[in-house]
Amino acid sequence: MSKIYITTAIPYVNGAPHIGHAMDYLLADAYTRYQKGLGNEVRFQAGTDEHGNKIAKKAAELKIDVKDYVDQNSNKFREFIRELGAEPTDFIRTTDANHEKGCQEIWKKLEDHIYKAEYEGWYCEGCERYVTDKEYTENNGVCPDHNRPYEKLKEENYYFKISDFKEQIKKAIESKEMAILPDFRAKEMLELLKDSPDVSISRPTSQLKWGVKVPGDESQVMYVWIDALSNYLTVLGYPENDISDFWPAKVQFVGKDILRFHAIIWPAMLLGLGLPLPKILHSHGHVLVDGKKMSKSIGNVVDPMEVLEAKGLPAFRYFFLRHIDTFADSDFTWEKYDAAYNNELANDLGNLVQRLANLCKKQDLAGIKDFQPEKDAKYLEIMDSLYFSKACDYTWEKVQDLNREIDDKKPWEYNKKIKASDEDEAEKLTAELHGVLIDMAQKLLNVAHLLAPFLPETSEKITNIFTAEKITPPEVPLFPKN
Ligand code: MSP
């Protein structure tokens, strides 16, 4: 048994969660369940990123005290994670006193690589970062993500010497000591690393008040990324606790938009602290809506609670883990959601369970008491590559195979044949029928096992049906059509 640490990006709390935010949690949760299934102990972190100007401004606009505002929104995320069926072992808020203290300790430990300098450059307030001159020119002076012109800013900041660690980071990415998934993103990060300047890691308090104070300098507040990235360590109790049981993280789940912070600043921080690098940085694609990036101005932001209420949790987990490609941008539309529910969950799986359990019940068959899932090397390989949507596709092929098998073997035709046969022949046919049904029940139990990381509830229901004293179909089908 190993001890495994899995992390998720901590969202900004300047609004309520949208469906895109589900990805980190679902991927991390599926992987956690998979690892636990293999007998490993997992620590699964989640939390909220609560400092920075964007959040302070939003609270001011709403005329709410900023602490009350972040409390409210952090709770919404915590509730959201629960609704998704994800079960983090730890939840950290960057406004937690122990996090703030840990962050300052981390800063102090990095001081050999920190210097103060004046900086003038183009800044996007939406991204809360300076852009390079190259980016400024490429984007014609307007941030493509926030659709607002870059501002010229001049200020005294502390800088973190990325240059001290570039060579080590490059080697770690190339050798996969810190693997970046998918592969093409590793190449992208290596390119970015080449041009990466030292990063500014503080703001004067005149510009940013809502944040962690720089230790020993009342006039400066930490830039949000240093504060936010530290969460992965402070949640383990760093630097007070010995974190070597769980650090380095096995997998850190992040969206593609924030991979650059995790692939450059984060390893530089860890190297500066003398800590090992995470084993895998997993960067997932984005959820689009009707082919577009979700945005309040387009008005296409989908409320995850509405999606959850429409067809329940298993349908939500199924859609986002299978039909949102683990590594590429994919589209959510209500049409696709309905089709996945009706054709795949209700027809392919729900009906199969119902039909097979009905046939077993008619034969008064007992469930498989001593069921042991088969080892499926191909599935394990896909799961270990962390390509979860592919693992779902693979599992679904097995569901389809079973549907084909039941249609080919037509177990419902046996009864007529049995009635028309003499006693010996009837006995033989009955034994054959039971053999067919039990073999299929066994295969369905294996499918349920493969589904467990993705659809834990459904997997458990199927397991209960086919391992019960007597096999009985559920009164309400697993996925009733609506
Ligand atoms: N606060 C930072 C993360 C700090 S981690 C040390 C942040 N927050 S965020 O709220 O903007 O994003 C949180 C997570 O949600 C990120 O992994 C981000 O990529 C992900 N997503 C935000 N929108 C998304 C989609 N539309 N689709 C999929 N994931 C999306 O960045």
Side-chain angles (χ1 to χ4, degrees):
M1 192 178 89
S2 351
K3 288 187 178 1
I4 286 177
Y5 183 39
I6 295 172
T7 74
T8 54
I10 51 171
Y12 296 121
V13 287
N14 56 346
H18 58 60
I19 49 171
H21 286 125
M23 291 317 296
D24 280 299
Y25 307 125
L26 291 182
L27 297 171
D29 185 63
Y31 192 60
T32 298
R33 290 177 190 272
Y34 169 66
Q35 286 295 345
K36 282 190 183 162
L38 296 176
N40 294 320
E41 183 184 338
V42 181
R43 215 156 151 180
F44 166 8
Q45 153 283 10
T48 40
D49 189 357
E50 306 188 4
H51 290 127
N53 276 339
K54 259 195 287 186
I55 291 167
K57 260 193 196 162
K58 203 60 192 281
E61 266 168 42
L62 296 167
K63 301 197 168 53
I64 309 178
D65 174 68
V66 61
K67 186 67 174 83
D68 291 342
Y69 180 66
V70 296
D71 284 352
Q72 279 171 24
N73 280 338
S74 178
N75 281 337
K76 284 186 195 159
F77 274 93
R78 202 193 274 253
E79 175 62 17
F80 174 53
I81 295 170
R82 219 177 47 80
E83 297 271 351
L84 291 175
E87 291 164 2
T89 50
D90 298 85
F91 191 89
I92 182 159
R93 301 180 55 184
T94 56
T95 52
D96 288 344
N98 61 339
H99 169 78
E100 295 194 357
K101 188 166 161 268
C103 233
Q104 291 179 320
E105 297 293 322
I106 287 173
W107 179 289
K108 283 194 232 157
K109 283 176 185 279
L110 291 174
E111 254 160 13
D112 282 353
H113 308 280
I114 292 175
Y115 60 94
K116 205 172 190 182
E118 185 163 85
Y119 182 77
E120 189 176 34
W122 296 107
Y123 185 79
C124 170
E125 199 164 289
C127 303
E128 301 201 50
R129 70 178 179 97
Y130 283 97
V131 295
T132 58
D133 289 343
K134 194 168 145 201
E135 266 180 291
Y136 178 85
T137 319
E138 274 170 10
N139 297 331
N140 295 320
V142 180
C143 171
D145 291 335
H146 297 93
N147 219 359
R148 68 166 98 187
Y150 295 119
E151 292 168 65
K152 188 118 214 181
L153 282 191
K154 187 168 164 184
E155 60 189 28
E156 249 208 334
N157 292 332
Y158 284 101
Y159 283 84
F160 182 41
K161 282 167 102 178
I162 298 288
S163 45
D164 285 351
F165 307 104
K166 268 191 184 180
E167 210 34 51
Q168 269 172 286
I169 299 173
K170 179 170 173 266
K171 279 201 191 120
I173 298 176
E174 282 172 347
S175 67
K176 299 198 196 305
E177 174 197 339
M178 176 179 81
I180 295 180
L181 295 179
D183 249 6
F184 76 92
R185 295 259 176 237
K187 295 192 187 84
E188 229 173 70
M189 291 302 120
L190 285 169
E191 273 310 302
L192 267 178
L193 182 67
K194 272 191 214 156
D195 294 337
S196 230
D198 289 347
V199 286
S200 142
I201 52 165
S202 72
R203 298 285 178 270
T205 27
S206 55
Q207 234 207 78
L208 171 67
K209 286 190 182 61
W210 181 238
V212 183
K213 291 239 156 44
V214 168
D217 186 344
E218 285 290 305
S219 72
Q220 295 267 332
V221 163
M222 283 185 210
Y223 170 56
V224 283
W225 275 99
I226 289 289
D227 168 8
L229 289 163
S230 299
N231 95 83
Y232 301 126
L233 299 176
T234 58
V235 74
L236 298 177
Y238 184 85
E240 250 142 61
N241 294 359
D242 171 9
I243 60 168
S244 58
D245 270 357
F246 288 96
W247 191 265
K250 169 107 175 152
V251 186
Q252 299 206 262
F253 289 96
V254 299
K256 61 171 190 178
D257 55 327
I258 59 167
L259 177 64
R260 58 166 66 203
F261 301 99
H262 288 80
I264 299 172
I265 306 182
W266 179 225
M269 285 170 70
L270 291 166
L271 291 167
L273 294 170
L275 290 172
L277 303 184
K279 298 280 176 220
I280 299 174
L281 291 176
H282 181 292
S283 98
H284 60 80
H286 273 191
V287 179
L288 307 175
V289 172
D290 296 317
K292 297 189 196 81
K293 191 181 156 111
M294 262 180 286
S295 105
K296 287 204 180 107
S297 52
I298 305 177
N300 64 346
V301 179
V302 177
D303 174 2
M305 295 303 172
E306 199 187 326
V307 184
L308 274 164
E309 271 160 32
K311 297 191 190 302
L313 177 59
F316 189 105
R317 291 181 62 107
Y318 175 76
F319 187 87
F320 286 90
L321 284 166
R322 181 174 184 207
H323 291 290
I324 301 298
D325 186 283
T326 302
F327 292 119
D329 289 356
S330 315
D331 208 21
F332 171 89
T333 66
W334 283 103
E335 290 73 28
K336 285 186 188 171
Y337 195 59
D338 288 348
Y341 183 87
N342 288 321
N343 303 336
E344 295 159 24
L345 289 174
N347 285 352
D348 293 348
L349 184 61
N351 265 350
L352 174 67
V353 169
Q354 210 72 19
R355 282 163 93 191
L356 189 60
N358 248 319
L359 289 159
C360 292
K361 183 178 156 69
K362 280 193 187 137
Q363 296 301 314
D364 199 30
L365 290 182
I368 304 165
K369 270 263 152 281
D370 50 355
F371 171 72
Q372 285 299 330
E374 250 169 45
K375 200 172 159 188
D376 186 323
K378 178 84 186 152
Y379 173 85
L380 295 175
E381 186 192 317
I382 305 174
M383 287 303 280
D384 289 337
S385 75
L386 294 107
Y387 207 148
F388 302 118
S389 52
K390 268 209 178 136
C392 291
D393 288 344
Y394 175 77
T395 306
W396 222 256
E397 282 170 25
K398 308 234 157 207
V399 173
Q400 310 278 36
D401 286 349
L402 273 174
N403 274 305
R404 265 190 296 274
E405 189 174 337
I406 201 168
D407 287 341
D408 285 349
K409 294 196 171 149
K410 300 187 177 34
W412 51 89
E413 288 186 350
Y414 273 76
N415 264 347
K416 236 203 272 165
K417 282 191 248 165
I418 291 170
K419 276 191 193 136
S421 312
D422 63 30
E423 208 173 310
D424 278 359
E425 181 64 11
E427 209 172 288
K428 226 177 86 201
L429 282 169
T430 307
E432 191 180 308
L433 170 61
H434 291 185
V436 166
L437 293 175
I438 288 300
D439 180 54
M440 290 192 67
Q442 182 98 24
K443 287 179 180 150
L444 195 47
L445 282 169
N446 272 311
V447 165
H449 178 68
L450 304 188
L451 279 177
F454 310 109
L455 306 182
E457 249 178 69
T458 309
S459 166
E460 198 183 324
K461 281 187 185 163
I462 299 175
T463 306
N464 289 341
I465 294 168
F466 292 98
T467 56
E469 208 67 52
K470 291 279 177 212
I471 300 176
T472 319
E475 274 172 35
V476 181
L478 294 186
F479 299 99
K481 288 227 178 158
N482 52 15

